[in-house]
Amino acid sequence: MTRMTSVSRRKIPLIASLALALVASALPAAAFAPAASAATASPEKVVLKAVDTAWATNRYPSTVQKHDYLSATRSADTTFLKFSGAALKGKDVKSASLELKVRSTTATKPGLVAYKTSSNWSAGTLTFNNKPAAGGVASGQSATVVAGQVVRVPLNVDAIPTTGNFSFSLKYAQAGIRLQMERSGAYAAKIVVTTANEAVATEDRPQAPSPKPSGSPRVFAHYFVPYPLSLDNKAPESDYYARNYLSPSGENGKFSEQGGLLRDRPLSPAPQSASDWRVRNMATEVRQAKAAGIDGWMLNLMSSSGQGWEAGINVMKASASVGDFVVVPMVDGSSGFVKNTPTQAASLLNQLYRSGPAYKINGSYLLSSFKAEGASVSWWSQVISILEKTHGLPITFQAVFLNASDDNMKAFAPIADGYGNWGSRTERNSLARPNYDARAASYGKTWMEPIAVQDVRFNASRWAESNNTAAVRAQWKRAIEENVDYVQLVTWNDYSESTQIAPSQAHGDSFLDLTRYYTTWFETGKAPAVASDEILLTHRTQFVNAKPTFSHKLMGAPTLDGTSTPARDTVEAVVWMKAAGTVRITVGGKTTTVSAPAGMSAHTVALGLGTVSASIERSGSVTAKLTSPYKVVSTPKVQDLQYYAASTW
């Protein structure tokens, strides 16, 4: 076995490029950047949010369309967007991308196209009969739009004025399709502009960190194969998730006692005609993860045959197709995989290592585990030996425990090169945990720190109170302060435990927005400078003691991570502010006002029924505003104790 000397016992600074945020199916552009002080002339990203939006249709030529979405087709429907170029005054525009969130679509081909048009219109009066005429083409063609994803339209530089208002009309090239896009709120239309300026202090403007050294990933996300973007390639409103996992009586009532298996689901794409739709969907997830600063998957291996095993192979293929993204096979010590003989297990792992971008350290393939103590040290040792001697694959082993006790560390010391743990889910235990990084160092091992946003297990009737985002922020704080070797985001997509951070129905891209902020901090070693005022709202959609209309077993007090953290009913606004100002949080019509400093801060108020919103104000002007799309109700259909989230990014 090869010791993990590439990171050894002191860390290699590593930076995840935020430029990936511009790839297809990625996240909105970052509103922060690594802090620095040297004056330098380098690219700047400026985000222009639409100042007015409208659409018109020849089906109702004299009617103002007041729907809460935008529509664009080839001939019948046209979307109109108005922007202000004031923030670009004196800047040299180098590139620009229009971004809109797709609500639903039937499109199967590219793509959305922007045209120059007059700004002499307003949403309150625009109809098909009085709409401004389309001018010249102002963009390239977008990729095929996907429901639930952000579509990006590459704009021509000469179509972006640096003073005054300017407008675009949008049409779709494919005939006979339907396309609805978000009109307002967190996913309203915006333009991400890259400019070049004279030399200025870099802490005053957003910039992407320099590229990370090749072959040195530090941020991984746990990929759970049972919950891909789509299970059956059906329309999201009627697919297997909708019919069975989210339905209290789904799968013939298998989970009716728990009110159904899941409460959240991925933002699934429309059905695809391609036979390799599974791999294509997984490639979309890779792009989403890369845009949040994630370097690779920890691939959970539970099955050694059938769909579960095939899904693992597909994960490898998808990661290879995207590139610059690694995969670490992570054998689940609580699953049937460890019931294989060492020879059988090594043969299966050999297939994985040779089918995609498996992560290597100094020429050795990284092998990991969930609950390493679930199999004997002898079993692991034989698997590693067979991989090396029979299959010619040098192995380095990162033993991730369910319980990183001294006994387990000592037992695995002869065969492991690194350690890790599954982690805590409460703020208190995250702050109070031992310094595992130092303990691992005492054995000469690297350490992989677990980071989870929340944990609610409906099927097991167990949950932990994460205090909105307080727990995950505490976990990141410790990982950064201790400068651990790796972090594992637990999880990317385990919807059965509500630990998912992947784009989902319950929190959109919001948890990935938070992840991107912290991965930048972790990999650069500096807190990102705040370049614009932004808001992240988290809250439940029901009180903890709410009684659902569907009769099922209810979870009591949180016990998953101990009983020291009681349940609470709160709304939290995490804000990023360029300068000190006022934060207003409104819940059910009641507004709470707090003074907030420059930088990042978190503020909580009591949960209430109705709509949740927040705003940032400075010098009498609203600089950021967010209304959560999730309302709080008194009588839910089923109990749902996960935190929902929305952000302005």
Side-chain angles (χ1 to χ4, degrees), residues 243-244 247-261 459 550:
R243 298 192 317 272
N244 291 288
S247 171
S249 56
E251 293 193 318
N252 297 317
K254 184 178 180 181
F255 299 102
S256 60
E257 187 178 353
Q258 291 79 32
L261 177 61
N459 187 34
F550 184 87

Side-chain angles (χ1 to χ4, degrees), residues 29-315:
F32 46 76
S37 58
T40 178
S42 60
E44 174 186 8
K45 283 190 180 129
V46 179
V47 177
L48 306 179
K49 297 182 179 181
V51 297
D52 204 359
T53 61
W55 67 282
T57 177
N58 63 11
R59 292 168 289 151
Y60 304 97
S62 60
T63 302
V64 174
Q65 300 301 317
K66 297 181 180 180
H67 302 284
D68 65 346
Y69 59 83
L70 299 170
S71 179
T73 64
R74 185 171 180 174
S75 58
D77 299 352
T78 306
T79 282
F80 292 86
L81 304 173
K82 186 183 299 183
F83 299 88
S84 170
L88 301 174
K89 185 176 181 180
K91 302 180 186 294
D92 181 12
V93 176
K94 295 298 185 183
S95 66
S97 175
L98 173 64
E99 300 183 359
L100 303 99
K101 181 73 170 287
V102 179
R103 178 181 291 189
S104 64
T105 186
T106 58
T108 57
K109 300 177 182 179
L112 200 61
V113 179
Y115 299 85
K116 296 179 182 179
T117 191
S118 165
S119 291
N120 295 326
W121 59 270
S122 68
T125 59
L126 185 136
T127 67
F128 184 84
N129 286 341
N130 65 21
K131 65 181 177 65
V137 176
S139 73
Q141 194 175 87
S142 77
T144 304
V145 294
V146 177
Q149 303 292 336
V150 173
V151 59
R152 289 174 173 80
V153 183
L155 296 172
N156 300 340
V157 171
D158 60 8
I160 309 295
T162 57
T163 57
N165 288 341
F166 61 98
S167 294
F168 298 119
S169 61
L170 304 182
K171 305 289 286 185
Y172 206 85
Q174 183 182 3
I177 63 99
R178 172 178 54 81
L179 169 60
Q180 292 182 0
M181 299 167 288
E182 299 294 344
R183 184 169 183 172
S184 60
Y187 301 114
K190 65 183 177 183
I191 298 175
V192 180
V193 182
T194 301
T195 69
N197 289 334
E198 296 299 323
V200 295
T202 56
E203 69 263 31
D204 294 333
R205 66 161 190 268
Q207 66 174 8
S210 56
K212 65 189 178 187
S214 177
S216 301
R218 294 181 69 198
V219 179
F220 295 89
H222 187 92
Y223 192 91
F224 196 57
V225 296
Y227 302 117
L229 286 186
S230 177
L231 292 161
D232 52 8
N233 200 29
K234 303 294 185 182
E237 58 269 22
S238 59
D239 66 359
Y240 199 89
Y241 281 108
R243 298 192 317 272
N244 291 288
Y245 286 167
L246 292 176
S247 171
S249 56
E251 293 193 318
N252 297 317
K254 184 178 180 181
F255 299 102
S256 60
E257 187 178 353
Q258 291 79 32
L261 177 61
L262 307 182
R263 301 297 190 272
D264 192 14
R265 60 164 298 160
L267 293 179
S268 303
Q272 302 180 51
S273 58
S275 60
D276 63 343
W277 58 269
R278 292 180 179 85
V279 175
R280 289 171 180 258
N281 284 348
M282 288 175 175
T284 293
E285 292 184 274
V286 170
R287 296 186 184 97
Q288 292 169 337
K290 287 178 65 174
I294 297 169
D295 300 310
W297 299 134
M298 303 297 289
L299 174 59
N300 185 282
L301 298 177
M302 296 186 296
S303 303
S304 52
S305 62
Q307 292 183 349
W309 175 251
E310 292 173 4
I313 296 293
N314 286 338
V315 167

Side-chain angles (χ1 to χ4, degrees), residues 370-394:
F370 164 76
K371 195 181 180 181
E373 67 269 37
S376 68
V377 173
S378 174
W379 185 88
W380 286 107
S381 180
Q382 291 179 68
V383 170
I384 293 168
S385 177
I386 295 168
L387 282 169
E388 293 184 329
K389 296 178 180 179
T390 302
H391 298 289
L393 299 175

Side-chain angles (χ1 to χ4, degrees), residues 187 264 500-511 630 643-645:
Y187 301 114
D264 192 14
Q500 70 280 355
I501 61 171
S504 80
Q505 182 174 278
H507 46 72
D509 296 334
S510 300
F511 287 149
Y630 314 105
Y643 281 105
Y644 286 64

